[in-house]
Amino acid sequence: MNPVFPSILSTDYFDLKSKLTEFQANKIDVIHLDVMDGNFVDNISFGPAVAKTIKSKFDFQIDSHLMVGNPEKMIPWFITSGSDWISFHIESKHKIAENIATIKKSNRKAGLVLNPDTEVESVFPYLRDIDYILLMSVFPGFGGQKFIETTYERVSKLKHRVKQEGTNCLIQVDGGINVDNIGKLKAAGNDIFVIGTFLYNSEDIKKTLATITNKIAGDLYEKKRVNCVDRYFNGDKRM
Ligand code: DX5
Ligand code: ZN
């Protein structure tokens, strides 16, 4: 699965089809849909009909990020719309376990979202029940914001706990990701990268995606190389 999930929040609606066609041609598997209700965040975006339409025309999976005040009401709508991944905010407070169960019962991937100022520890009780955790690297509501640097440490802390618990929970980061921070984000332990502005508005999506992918792989290579060098100097000759 391609770990880059393009966000179409900043889309030019007259250009959406050609952009999605280009993403499909460049091996994108999952599209990130930022659902905003004007209540939980000060913006309104799109509803389940957009998920349904994209699914009817393209092979993508849809990752619906619900920035809504009443996820228990809207989760069924996005299940019916064909969303494959559905995440909602832990800050929406009520019925967290029930909402996760509703998503899992419909054989979708269930995710919990944390705002940048919500303690990472708040998601620890749910790590065995969910498929992914979305750590926001901007305050939700708008694309094109500046990446919040404390995200690196939050990712590492969460990754450490996920490994301790022995779960397969993936970590997703969303907001302000670009070629300058993606390598460090991967090294911190992030698995999935939601990218809107940097990718969506690039002149050459193919080239930008290749740069992003190399950055992620490159970092992995660096990490492996360093480990190899460490192993070598510690007498481990299996190089
Ligand atoms: C913000 C959204 C993000 C955003 C993508 O509330 O959740 O997905 O659209 O961020 P950028 O455009 O900064 O990559
Ligand atoms: Zn999002």
Side-chain angles (χ1 to χ4, degrees), residues 123-130 164-167 169:
V123 81
F124 286 3
Y126 303 100
L127 287 182
R128 293 180 184 285
D129 312 319
I130 50 177
Q164 251 182 347
E165 300 260 345
T167 79
C169 211

Side-chain angles (χ1 to χ4, degrees), residues 147-164:
F147 180 86
I148 296 172
E149 298 283 321
T150 49
T151 307
Y152 299 120
E153 187 193 319
R154 287 164 59 82
V155 168
S156 302
K157 189 174 193 179
L158 191 52
K159 188 61 139 197
H160 178 72
R161 183 66 182 221
V162 164
K163 285 184 175 161
Q164 251 182 347

Side-chain angles (χ1 to χ4, degrees), residues 32-41 43 45-49 51 62-81 83 85-93 99-100 102-103 109-115 132 134 136 140-141 172 174:
H32 182 85
L33 215 47
D34 287 306
V35 179
M36 301 177 181
D37 66 357
N39 160 30
F40 185 76
V41 290
N43 195 358
S45 58
F46 14 63
I62 299 289
D63 167 30
S64 292
H65 167 195
L66 306 185
M67 288 163 267
V68 301
N70 54 353
E72 70 281 2
K73 181 175 174 193
M74 297 203 183
I75 285 168
W77 301 353
F78 282 85
I79 290 170
T80 313
S81 77
S83 295
W85 305 55
I86 302 174
S87 64
F88 63 98
H89 278 254
I90 201 164
E91 297 87 4
S92 62
K93 296 243 184 305
N99 291 336
I100 293 170
T102 305
I103 300 169
K109 291 192 187 307
L112 264 179
V113 193
L114 275 68
N115 281 340
Y132 63 118
L134 168 46
M136 292 303 294
Q172 181 185 55
D174 175 6

Side-chain angles (χ1 to χ4, degrees), residues 167-217:
T167 79
N168 305 325
C169 211
L170 295 171
I171 302 178
Q172 181 185 55
V173 168
D174 175 6
I177 297 180
N178 58 41
V179 72
D180 301 325
N181 53 39
I182 197 163
K184 198 171 164 189
L185 209 42
K186 178 67 185 176
N190 190 50
D191 302 298
I192 298 170
F193 306 85
V194 175
I195 310 181
T197 310
F198 179 70
L199 177 62
Y200 202 90
N201 299 341
S202 73
E203 289 301 306
D204 180 338
I205 285 193
K206 186 179 180 65
K207 198 156 146 259
T208 307
L209 267 174
T211 310
I212 290 170
T213 310
N214 290 340
K215 206 63 193 144
I216 297 174

